[in-house]
């Protein structure tokens, strides 16, 4: 792996869009095919954050693959990264209505809603479970950590209400954005490389346990927009079941005066 290097002047934090809602629109490609879109709205304050994402199938893919999920998270920033308060995910996927709600406190995550119910899962590793955050808080924490410390070398356990995973991130590395899949941004960027693997919540007797427990590689690219600040513009990773996933920002960030709901001070 290449050695990480300091952020170039254009990537170092200057003015931040504090308190403004930032809207980002991404296309998601599965094995090269455009199946899904995701719209992300988030607001950042020095003390905390609020984020909402809408994941939905598009085009011909929606004829045989339907997903429509709305997810939200709130939390605070601290020296360690993020301290989430709540996470909610609801909508339609895999042929049924889903709803997961998680509350966080000093003892870790507490699942208050899980529909449909899940049974037949292995126990979680206690320490990693107690220290885990939701995926949205992890992603917004990564942006915050890059912005404040100019580093993405971190490790964090992530809980989705059923499964516990561990993300090991390194970087950043100076690079150039790939030009495939019609990205809005081109040119210089900073890339963070990571591996992710499931460490808890395995289905008892699952034939996929070894594959899920194996580290799977990925990368995320950042650019600094003059108005929106540091933003993730590309993400790719290897999924143990469906292969390579690619997420590419398609439009410029849109800032509005009506913010997403951030955590209280």
């Amino acid at each position: 792996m290449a050695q990480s290097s300091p952020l170039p002047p254009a990537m170092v934090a200057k003015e931040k869009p504090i308190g403004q809602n930032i809207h980002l629109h991404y296309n998601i490609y599965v094995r090269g095919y455009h199946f899904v879109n995701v719209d992300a709205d988030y607001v950042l304050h020095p003390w905390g954050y609020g984020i909402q994402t809408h994941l939905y199938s598009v085009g011909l893919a929606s004829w045989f693959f339907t997903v429509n999920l709305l997810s939200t998270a709130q939390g605070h920033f601290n020296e360690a990264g993020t301290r989430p308060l709540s996470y909610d995910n609801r909508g339609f996927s895999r042929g049924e209505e889903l709803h997961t709600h998680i509350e966080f406190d000093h003892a870790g995550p507490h699942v208050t809603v899980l529909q449909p119910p899940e049974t037949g899962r292995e126990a979680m590793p206690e320490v990693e479970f107690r220290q885990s955050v939701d995926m949205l808080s992890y992603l917004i924490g990564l942006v915050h950590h890059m912005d404040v410390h100019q580093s993405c070398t971190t490790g964090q356990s992530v809980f989705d209400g059923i499964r516990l995973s561990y993300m090991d991130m390194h970087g950043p590395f100076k690079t150039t954005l790939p030009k495939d899949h019609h990205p809005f941004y081109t040119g210089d960027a900073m890339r963070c490389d990571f591996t992710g693997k499931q460490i808890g919540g395995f289905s008892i007797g699952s034939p996929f346990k070894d594959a899920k427990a194996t580290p799977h590689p990925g990368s995320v690219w950042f650019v600094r927009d003059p108005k929106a600040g540091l933003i993730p513009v590309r993400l790719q990773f290897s999924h143990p079941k469906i292969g390579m996933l690619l997420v590419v920002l398609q439009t410029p960030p849109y800032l509005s005066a009506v913010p997403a709901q951030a955590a209280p001070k």
Side-chain angles (χ1 to χ4, degrees):
M1 179 180 292
Q3 294 296 312
S4 61
S5 52
L7 289 173
M11 296 292 291
V12 176
K14 295 180 181 178
E15 294 184 3
K16 301 178 183 179
I18 294 173
Q20 288 184 290
N21 184 81
I22 302 172
H23 176 84
L24 302 174
H25 172 75
Y26 300 88
N27 286 2
I28 300 180
Y29 301 88
V30 180
R31 298 183 180 179
Y33 294 97
H34 180 201
F35 277 81
V36 183
N37 285 352
V38 61
D39 293 318
D41 289 88
Y42 62 94
V43 62
L44 301 175
H45 290 285
W47 64 86
Y49 60 91
I51 181 171
Q52 175 178 289
T53 62
H54 182 204
L55 182 74
Y56 53 98
S57 49
V58 294
L60 294 177
S62 61
W63 294 5
F64 56 91
F65 170 78
T66 301
V67 60
N68 187 11
L69 293 171
L70 186 68
S71 303
T72 60
Q74 291 180 313
H76 294 114
F77 295 122
N78 57 28
E79 291 184 1
T82 56
R83 183 169 62 86
L85 296 176
S86 65
Y87 168 79
D88 192 89
N89 178 56
R90 65 180 71 201
F92 186 85
S93 181
R94 294 175 294 177
E96 58 187 345
E97 293 290 333
L98 308 176
H99 186 195
T100 301
H101 187 86
I102 308 173
E103 296 287 333
F104 293 85
D105 60 22
H106 65 279
H110 306 274
V111 180
T112 61
V113 179
L114 185 59
Q115 296 293 336
E118 282 279 343
T119 58
R121 296 274 174 176
E122 296 181 7
M124 301 286 183
E126 183 177 349
V127 174
E128 290 84 354
F129 178 70
R130 189 173 64 250
Q131 297 174 348
S132 65
V133 302
D134 62 273
M135 180 55 76
L136 294 186
S137 294
Y138 173 76
L139 293 173
I140 206 72
L142 177 61
V143 174
H144 179 73
H145 194 78
M146 273 281 289
D147 206 21
V148 173
H149 301 289
Q150 290 81 58
S151 171
C152 55
T153 299
T154 61
Q156 178 68 61
S157 50
V158 179
F159 181 57
D160 69 358
I162 301 173
R163 293 163 288 268
L164 186 69
S165 300
Y166 190 81
M167 306 293 292
D168 189 20
M169 184 84 65
H170 298 280
F173 312 99
K174 296 178 183 178
T175 188
T176 301
L177 277 168
K179 296 181 180 180
D180 57 283
H181 296 88
H182 314 292
F184 176 77
Y185 291 97
T186 58
D188 294 339
M190 299 303 295
R191 190 192 76 239
C192 297
D193 297 329
F194 64 88
T195 58
K197 64 178 180 179
Q198 187 174 340
I199 60 173
F202 296 98
S203 295
I204 296 174
S206 171
F208 301 107
K209 181 176 180 178
D210 289 343
K212 292 179 178 180
T214 300
H216 294 273
S219 298
V220 55
W221 286 257
F222 294 90
V223 303
R224 181 169 293 282
D225 182 84
K227 295 182 179 180
L230 192 71
I231 55 174
V233 298
R234 181 185 176 99
L235 169 69
Q236 69 179 37
F237 64 97
S238 175
H239 190 278
K241 283 188 176 181
I242 60 180
M244 185 60 66
L245 276 77
L246 176 63
V247 184
V248 181
L249 186 70
Q250 298 292 301
T251 62
Y254 173 73
L255 276 66
S256 68
V258 181
Q261 185 66 40
K265 197 170 184 178

